[in-house]
Amino acid sequence: MIKDIEVPKVEDIAMAIVLQPDENGEPSWYSFLINLKDEPIEGVLVRSSGYGQQNDESVKTSELRYFLDTMEPKSFRKIELIPDNLLVLTNQYWVSFYQNKVMYDKKYMFVPGSITEENMGNVPVINTRGILII
């Protein structure tokens, strides 16, 4: 039965949105995956998408997939640039990975209006300010 299936809880994996200069020196929002664990994680897959309302129309972005392979302990990886016009959407990230031959997955959602400088706090491992979901 489905109720008998144990779903392991994801701990010490975080998504962060950080304001950094782009290649032209302009401030831009980037997403990062952070491994806060003391162990590596393997087979890391991140799926990103956006959806919501924009100019009174329903909008859904393409789903992008990023295979990161292995992430070392206490490390981070830049995932993607979030264009300014997508900040009004829900930006969703599904993260799947293996640890000790067990598969884990978790959804991280940055709701419309949450990606602002006012919501920034300390982001561990990257040692900068940003919006963090653990």
Side-chain angles (χ1 to χ4, degrees):
M1 303 300 273
I2 291 178
K3 67 179 182 166
D4 297 326
I5 298 173
E6 185 177 324
V7 178
K9 183 179 178 185
V10 173
E11 295 178 331
D12 298 327
I13 300 294
M15 285 296 305
I17 307 292
V18 174
L19 192 59
Q20 290 186 332
D22 64 13
E23 63 275 354
N24 299 320
E26 296 295 320
S28 299
W29 295 101
Y30 290 91
S31 59
F32 288 82
L33 180 64
I34 306 169
N35 180 6
L36 299 166
K37 296 177 176 291
D38 292 325
E39 302 177 28
I41 58 175
E42 300 174 330
V44 182
L45 179 66
V46 179
R47 297 181 344 207
S48 69
S49 63
Y51 59 89
Q53 295 288 318
Q54 193 173 42
N55 301 324
D56 295 325
E57 290 185 28
S58 201
V59 176
K60 185 173 181 184
T61 67
S62 299
E63 182 176 289
L64 301 176
R65 293 176 182 90
Y66 303 92
F67 182 65
L68 307 179
D69 198 20
T70 300
M71 285 185 69
E72 295 302 319
K74 307 291 185 196
S75 67
F76 62 92
R77 291 285 215 20
K78 186 183 283 187
I79 304 300
E80 66 184 0
L81 167 71
I82 303 172
D84 289 341
N85 64 324
L86 299 183
L87 297 177
V88 298
L89 302 177
T90 296
N91 288 277
Q92 176 178 284
Y93 297 88
W94 272 100
V95 177
S96 301
F97 63 92
Y98 288 92
Q99 182 179 16
N100 299 321
K101 298 185 181 181
V102 175
M103 184 177 185
Y104 294 82
D105 70 337
K106 184 173 180 177
K107 177 173 46 173
Y108 300 84
M109 294 175 57
F110 294 89
V111 297
S114 65
I115 303 174
T116 64
E117 290 188 55
E118 293 80 32
N119 290 333
M120 291 172 64
N122 183 49
V123 177
V125 180
I126 302 176
N127 295 322
T128 191
R129 291 182 45 78
I131 298 99
L132 181 70
I133 299 176
I134 298 178

